[in-house]
Amino acid sequence: MAEPIDFSATRGLEECMDGPCSYEELRDCLRHLAWLNQLTRAHRPVLQWVERVADSQSGRDRPLRIVDVGCGYGDMLRSIERWASQRGVAVELVGADVNANAVRVAREASPATSRITWVHATCAFARKLPTPIW
Ligand SMILES: C[S@@+](CC[C@H](N)C(=O)[O-])C[C@H]1O[C@@H](n2cnc3c(N)ncnc32)[C@H](O)[C@@H]1O
């Protein structure tokens, strides 16, 4: 069994990602994270959950609304959009990020055909949405 990682030495250190950095630096970092997500199949459990929700809601008269708070590169939502398109499931997808540059990165990484809405906002935005997420 692997030894637990000791993070105590990192306590108090600033997370570089949340510190000021250029658009290009953030874009490269988020792109790298998206690559890691792909490598580790990080989207899979979320897609399985979305599939279960969609199945339990079949017959609904409005789209499934999913908000990704802290969307970063936006790759999770683009995966959901591809899945929904293949399955013919109506979705309304919103990506929110507190960092305006991340919102720009997510938008620029999306194909012109994408209908995902990208917003510069914090998690407080999601709490104010008028209707439940699903
Ligand atoms: C480590 S990245 C992860 C990106 C993506 N969710 C992923 O898993 O690859 C975290 C993102 O959350 C954003 N973030 C951090 N705090 C936030 C908040 N309170 N509201 C919205 N976005 C936030 C950061 O700007 C950053 O883009």
Side-chain angles (χ1 to χ4, degrees):
M1 186 138 94
E3 285 293 309
I5 301 169
D6 177 13
F7 288 108
S8 60
T10 64
R11 235 176 260 152
L13 291 180
E14 186 185 3
E15 191 179 337
C16 287
M17 214 173 162
D18 294 336
C21 66
S22 70
Y23 164 78
E24 287 77 15
E25 244 179 319
L26 182 71
R27 182 198 54 206
D28 293 351
C29 176
L30 291 175
R31 210 179 258 165
H32 193 217
L33 263 184
W35 173 75
L36 283 175
N37 285 341
Q38 197 179 351
L39 200 70
T40 59
R41 300 178 182 202
H43 297 166
R44 194 183 261 193
V46 177
L47 287 171
Q48 286 169 344
W49 173 79
V50 173
E51 178 126 30
R52 277 201 306 277
V53 172
D55 285 348
S56 71
Q57 303 278 313
S58 64
R60 59 186 279 116
D61 58 359
R62 58 196 167 88
L64 202 61
R65 178 191 281 168
I66 298 168
V67 182
D68 182 358
V69 180
C71 62
Y73 197 62
D75 46 309
M76 180 73 250
L77 286 178
R78 283 188 296 277
S79 290
I80 295 174
E81 188 171 54
R82 278 192 300 275
W83 167 86
S85 155
Q86 283 159 9
R87 286 277 316 269
V89 175
V91 287
E92 191 183 307
L93 305 173
V94 179
D97 203 289
V98 71
N99 187 323
N101 276 337
V103 177
R104 181 180 156 199
V105 169
R107 190 174 288 127
E108 290 179 358
S110 302
T113 50
S114 172
R115 302 195 60 197
I116 301 170
T117 303
W118 304 105
V119 293
H120 176 209
T122 65
C123 41
F125 152 84
R127 279 193 230 109
K128 285 187 195 146
L129 286 170
T131 50
I133 308 283
W134 79 80

